[in-house]
Amino acid sequence: MIETGCDICAVGHYGYVLGDVEEMAAAADDLERIGEEFGDRDFLLPQIVAYLRSVGRYLDPRLTSKPLLEITRQ
């Protein structure tokens, strides 16, 4: 996902976002291919979040009063 240009980040300890709409639109073909190749990743959510946090790609919503959409666009 990172290599497609999406600014994927964990949000807290329980989820993640892929980045803004423009990034996702630009990477649509790659994201579709990844989905087809790897299928459903919902069961991996805790591991995905842990990995993103371990490489510094996370947002902690408790530490800001800004809306998440504004934070992900910085």
Side-chain angles (χ1 to χ4, degrees):
M1 293 287 188
I2 295 169
E3 290 179 12
T4 68
C6 288
D7 190 21
I8 186 172
C9 292
V11 179
H13 291 275
Y14 305 106
Y16 64 89
V17 293
L18 295 180
D20 65 29
V21 174
E22 291 84 14
E23 291 171 346
M24 290 175 55
D29 291 340
D30 288 328
L31 294 173
E32 184 176 337
R33 179 188 54 75
I34 291 167
E36 290 173 357
E37 185 174 340
F38 296 101
D40 180 36
R41 295 171 303 282
D42 289 346
F43 69 100
L44 294 172
L45 185 60
Q47 290 90 346
I48 293 169
V49 170
Y51 172 76
L52 292 170
R53 291 182 65 84
S54 76
V55 296
R57 299 183 69 89
Y58 68 94
L59 305 168
D60 191 339
R62 298 173 302 154
L63 300 179
T64 183
S65 60
K66 294 179 182 180
L68 181 59
L69 183 59
E70 185 178 327
I71 295 168
T72 58
R73 289 187 174 180
Q74 292 181 353

